[in-house]
Amino acid sequence: MSTVAPAARPPVRRRSADARRWATSYLMLAPALVLFGVFVLYPLVGAVRISLTNSTGIGQATFVGLGNYRALLADDVFWKAALNTVLLAVVSVPVSVGIGLGLALLLRDRLPGRGLFRALFLAPYVISGVVVAMTGRWIFDENVGIVDRALTGLGLPAPAWQSDAPAAAVSVVLVLLWARTGLVVVLYLSALQGVDSDVLEAAELDGTTPWQRLRHVLWPLMRPTTFFVTVLMVIETFQVFDIVWVMTGGGPAGGTELLVTYAYGQGFSARREGYGSAIGVVVFVVVLVSTVLWWRMQRESEEDA
């Protein structure tokens, strides 16, 4: 009768080496994990806790459970701010991606002053958002702004950028595009540098047009970058605060009110800290769910391809 020999156990020395590698990995990740816990996880847990109370930021808070979230369902201003935020994302994200890709393709070749153009495109993104917003407010000021002066000089009607809600929304979108398109350009430029020039030359020798090379060669290769840029722009759109707060303050008549500006106004101006925290939690959940769904769609499309 034959017996089965027991499986060989890994040497102690090998297990010790694996343990050292795991310890080294966690040790190297420790600074990032600490920063994530202190500046992301802890504030998030605190926001969720406060959103379950009627806290005003002063005195003792009372636990109200989901009361703040139920109040959001009947809050017309909240729904208007949510609609404005979604519309801003729907309009600004595709335009940012399209303009960024187009400029990256123009700057891909060795044009004179290419480094200067890269710096000019990226400058609005790296400087303070308040500075960008103040510059935009000066440009679109309906009394002394250079845009209205130029339109008036050409005999065209000058929009009331601060008094008319659609005009105010347009000014916010234009300044937002100016502020963040440079980052999209830089990201696409980095991706284009990794494209093998032989592939493009082979496509050109096959008699393809520039549009065909862009659609059938470059665009599929840019798909991971486009996914990353899209997710990044959507997240930033739901976090837009300084540009709107400085330029319009959410007005006129709530025409440019966004979820983040409304949360700030409720939490600090109206002293409804619990209610403002509930809005912030909703924003976080929406962004998280949208990112996960978009990631799954992207992964499925790559598997099908």
Side-chain angles (χ1 to χ4, degrees), residues 175-200:
V175 173
L176 184 61
L177 291 174
W178 172 57
R180 69 185 187 183
T181 300
L183 177 64
V184 181
V185 173
V186 173
L187 293 174
Y188 271 122
L189 276 174
S190 300
L192 287 171
Q193 290 176 354
V195 176
D196 190 354
S197 58
D198 294 338
V199 177
L200 298 177

Side-chain angles (χ1 to χ4, degrees), residues 127-277:
I127 64 178
S128 171
V130 175
V131 175
V132 173
M134 292 180 65
T135 304
R137 183 171 181 175
W138 171 69
I139 292 174
F140 290 101
D141 190 281
E142 61 186 65
N143 296 316
V144 297
I146 59 175
V147 173
D148 280 11
R149 286 188 177 185
L151 293 175
T152 303
L154 295 174
L156 300 174
W161 302 107
Q162 282 77 50
S163 305
D164 182 59
V170 170
S171 68
V172 169
V173 171
L174 292 176
V175 173
L176 184 61
L177 291 174
W178 172 57
R180 69 185 187 183
T181 300
L183 177 64
V184 181
V185 173
V186 173
L187 293 174
Y188 271 122
L189 276 174
S190 300
L192 287 171
Q193 290 176 354
V195 176
D196 190 354
S197 58
D198 294 338
V199 177
L200 298 177
E201 292 177 1
E204 186 175 359
L205 292 175
D206 289 339
T208 58
T209 63
W211 169 250
Q212 289 174 331
R213 290 194 295 273
L214 172 62
R215 180 181 178 184
H216 299 290
V217 179
L218 282 177
W219 183 251
L221 294 175
M222 295 293 102
R223 186 174 297 173
T225 303
T226 302
F227 166 73
F228 173 75
V229 169
T230 302
V231 171
L232 182 63
M233 292 297 104
V234 170
I235 293 175
E236 288 201 351
T237 301
F238 275 83
Q239 294 177 340
V240 171
F241 172 77
D242 43 14
I243 291 178
V244 174
W245 193 259
V246 173
M247 289 187 63
T248 64
T256 59
E257 189 79 84
L258 303 180
L259 287 173
V260 176
T261 59
Y262 186 50
Y264 179 87
Q266 291 296 304
F268 293 94
S269 300
R271 307 303 304 178
R272 301 176 66 188
E273 191 179 62
Y275 195 69
S277 298

Side-chain angles (χ1 to χ4, degrees), residues 11-54:
V12 176
R13 185 174 300 175
R14 181 181 301 175
R15 293 201 302 268
S16 178
D18 292 340
R20 285 197 299 269
R21 281 197 294 268
W22 279 104
T24 303
S25 301
Y26 281 112
L27 184 62
M28 296 180 67
L29 286 173
L33 294 176
V34 170
L35 291 175
F36 177 81
V38 172
F39 294 104
V40 177
L41 188 59
Y42 178 74
L44 177 62
V45 173
V48 174
R49 179 182 60 81
I50 295 174
S51 71
L52 302 176
T53 69
N54 64 350

Side-chain angles (χ1 to χ4, degrees), residues 80-136:
K80 186 175 183 179
L83 178 61
N84 291 339
T85 305
V86 173
L87 289 177
L88 182 62
V90 170
V91 172
S92 65
V93 172
V95 176
S96 296
V97 173
I99 295 177
L101 178 59
L103 293 175
L105 291 173
L106 292 176
L107 295 175
R108 181 173 178 267
D109 299 326
R110 295 189 175 277
L111 300 175
R114 183 177 61 171
L116 176 61
F117 283 113
R118 287 184 180 183
L120 291 176
F121 287 137
L122 190 60
Y125 185 82
V126 298
I127 64 178
S128 171
V130 175
V131 175
V132 173
M134 292 180 65
T135 304

